[in-house]
């Protein structure tokens, strides 16, 4: 018998305000045609002033807790994956804890940009596996619209705001790929690529949060290779094959990246959960948002094998193989 971290509930939240490509093309020199063809994105949700990352995180968490049949008192630890915290400190997780959870539990943020959710899932999984906590709330939440350069058409069209959350609970498994729960996580980084996808400021360097800067073509090139590699290691580590995977639930950056990766892996497009068209890239929120979308529309079912994979600034990248 081994301990597995089982996903007991999933939730998400998207701000009400939707901005279409056509609306965006009134603000910057772009078009629906260009954005759709190069990225697959049709629209994104943008949080109004006053609605912060913690508000999105709390809203998503309420849905996840309800889905798990739990309330805040049942949670032993909370992690928020975010690049767009409400404040430089304390952690956004502190606000979630104060709003929903017991005082005294560990609450912290993880900063791994678009890989933040998979990184956080790995951290929570390890806390559960060593028996330090019995439950964990893991959230990806972002208000990326706040640190975009809205005059830079090469980046501002790509991102959106939102949040997704999962409730993990310790369960028992046999140590095989038939177990429910997180079967493996693999995390990577390579800081030599720091400048390719970054905020051009920070507390220490400029005393500002900076704005998002990206060399899109280089990110694209690395993403396709790194995502395929980390997907393969997840499969190999568990003695399964790609044909056993029910759903690829990838980080949603660009439809062309999703298509190239699934093609490289020999996975049919029908097995890929795609939300980038409606949400754009919501960084750490994109995987739990996609997971919740797939569950809500009835495609993803309990007992199915899910492969999550992601890549983001740092570079950071990683994967998680999960049986729901
Ligand atoms: N609207 C219209 N034209 C645009 C544009 C926009 N929003 N953004 C760029 N262009 C123009 C460029 O200026 C360029 O024009 P030029 O040929 O006259 O110089 C042309 O379109 C092609 O630009 P290019 O950068 O070569 O396009 P691309 O095919 O590489 O697509 C991205 C650009 C950003 C969509 C693509 O590189 C990408 O998705 N990269 C990965 C980004 C990503 O996922 N980042 C997050 C990872 S977590």
């Amino acid at each position: 018998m081994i301990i597995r971290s089982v996903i007991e509930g999933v939730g998400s939240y998207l701000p009400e305000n939707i901005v279409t490509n056509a609306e965006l093309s009134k603000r910057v020199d772009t078009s629906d045609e260009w954005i759709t063809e190069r990225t697959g994105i049709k629209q994104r949700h943008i949080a109004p002033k006053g609605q912060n990352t913690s508000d999105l995180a709390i809203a998503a968490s309420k849905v996840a807790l309800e889905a798990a049949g739990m309330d805040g008192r049942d949670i032993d630890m909370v992690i928020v994956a975010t690049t767009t915290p409400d404040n430089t400190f304390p952690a956004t997780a502190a606000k979630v804890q104060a709003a929903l959870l017991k005082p005294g539990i560990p609450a912290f943020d993880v900063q791994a940009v678009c890989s933040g959710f998979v990184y956080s899932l790995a951290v929570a999984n390890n806390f559960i596996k060593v028996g330090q906590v019995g439950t964990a709330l893991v959230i990806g939440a972002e208000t990326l619209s706040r640190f975009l350069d809205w005059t830079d058409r090469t980046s501002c069209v790509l991102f959106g705001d939102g949040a997704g959350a999962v409730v993990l609970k310790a369960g028992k498994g046999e140590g095989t790929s038939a177990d429910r729960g997180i079967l493996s996580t693999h995390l990577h980084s390579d800081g030599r690529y720091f400048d390719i996808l970054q905020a051009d400021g920070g507390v220490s360097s400029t005393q500002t949060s900076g704005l998002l800067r990206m060399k899109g073509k280089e990110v694209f090139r690395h993403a396709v290779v790194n995502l395929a590699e980390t997907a393969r290691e997840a499969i190999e580590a568990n003695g399964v094959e790609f044909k056993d995977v029910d759903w690829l639930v990838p980080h949603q950056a660009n439809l062309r990246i999703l298509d190239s990766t699934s093609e490289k892996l020999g996975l049919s497009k029908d097995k890929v959960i795609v939300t980038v068209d409606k949400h754009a890239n919501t960084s750490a929120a994109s995987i739990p948002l996609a997971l919740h979308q797939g569950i809500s529309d009835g495609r993803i079912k309990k007992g199915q094998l899910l492969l999550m994979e992601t890549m983001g600034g740092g570079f950071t990248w990683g994967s998680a193989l999960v049986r729901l």
Side-chain angles (χ1 to χ4, degrees):
M1 280 288 184
I2 65 161
I3 298 176
R4 294 286 195 192
S5 309
V6 178
I7 295 181
E8 293 288 351
V10 182
S12 68
Y13 177 80
L14 288 157
E16 278 171 31
N17 178 35
I18 292 173
V19 177
T20 62
N21 292 347
E23 286 168 295
L24 212 51
S25 64
K26 292 180 194 144
R27 289 173 79 164
V28 284
D29 182 15
T30 189
S31 64
D32 176 42
E33 196 186 359
W34 192 94
I35 302 172
T36 304
E37 190 184 301
R38 304 288 175 124
T39 71
I41 296 166
K42 299 296 288 181
Q43 61 173 51
R44 71 284 296 141
H45 292 247
I46 303 288
K49 198 169 166 29
Q51 189 177 43
N52 295 336
T53 295
S54 63
D55 299 312
L56 311 190
I58 290 164
S61 298
K62 285 181 181 167
V63 179
L65 285 165
E66 195 181 336
M70 293 188 198
D71 73 30
R73 284 166 300 190
D74 300 318
I75 297 297
D76 298 339
M77 178 171 77
V78 56
I79 307 176
V80 176
T82 188
T83 306
T84 48
D86 288 19
N87 292 46
T88 302
F89 83 90
T92 300
K95 283 201 172 168
V96 178
Q97 184 262 310
L100 298 177
L101 313 174
K102 288 179 294 205
I105 62 166
F108 55 94
D109 290 359
V110 163
Q111 162 50 301
V113 208
C114 298
S115 306
F117 181 75
V118 170
Y119 266 63
S120 301
L121 209 58
V123 173
N125 182 38
N126 288 328
F127 267 84
I128 287 174
K129 284 179 84 74
V130 297
Q132 207 161 344
V133 299
T135 56
L137 176 61
V138 180
I139 307 159
E142 303 280 14
T143 46
L144 286 165
S145 62
R146 306 274 159 77
F147 92 138
L148 296 175
D149 176 352
W150 287 101
T151 65
D152 174 14
R153 67 176 183 175
T154 67
S155 60
C156 75
V157 303
L158 302 175
F159 298 91
D161 301 336
V166 302
V167 173
L168 298 177
K169 187 176 178 200
K172 291 197 176 83
E174 301 293 331
T176 73
S177 63
D179 292 347
R180 278 191 73 210
I182 298 174
L183 303 181
S184 67
T185 57
H186 289 86
L187 306 180
H188 301 280
S189 72
D190 191 339
R192 290 175 299 171
Y193 300 104
F194 193 96
D195 297 345
I196 290 177
L197 179 53
Q198 61 157 331
D200 62 0
V203 177
S204 180
S205 57
T206 62
Q207 297 80 59
T208 65
S209 59
L211 295 175
L212 186 143
R213 304 291 174 204
M214 181 180 68
K215 293 178 184 146
K217 264 196 196 314
E218 288 187 59
V219 176
F220 194 105
R221 199 161 48 83
H222 283 91
V224 176
V225 174
N226 291 342
L227 289 170
E229 272 177 19
T230 195
R232 282 199 190 96
E233 66 188 344
I235 293 298
E236 281 163 18
N238 291 286
V240 295
E241 296 177 37
F242 280 107
K243 67 173 175 48
D244 302 320
V245 173
D246 293 295
W247 296 103
L248 183 66
V249 188
H251 170 51
Q252 311 278 325
N254 181 321
L255 190 59
R256 288 192 296 146
I257 295 179
L258 301 189
D259 287 348
S260 311
T261 310
S262 55
E263 195 181 17
K264 250 179 181 270
L265 301 175
L267 268 172
S268 147
K269 282 186 192 173
D270 306 343
K271 285 185 157 192
V272 184
I273 303 290
V274 176
T275 54
V276 70
D277 53 337
K278 296 196 180 67
H279 305 166
N281 181 345
T282 57
S283 192
S286 87
I287 289 180
L289 268 165
L291 179 61
H292 191 225
Q293 175 68 55
I295 292 170
S296 303
D297 64 27
R299 281 179 293 169
I300 299 180
K301 296 181 183 67
K302 196 170 163 178
Q304 288 187 328
L305 192 61
L306 313 179
L307 177 55
M308 302 173 186
E309 35 125 76
T310 189
M311 148 99 188
F315 289 143
T316 53
W317 66 101
S319 58
L321 194 72
V322 179
R323 189 171 294 285
L324 193 63

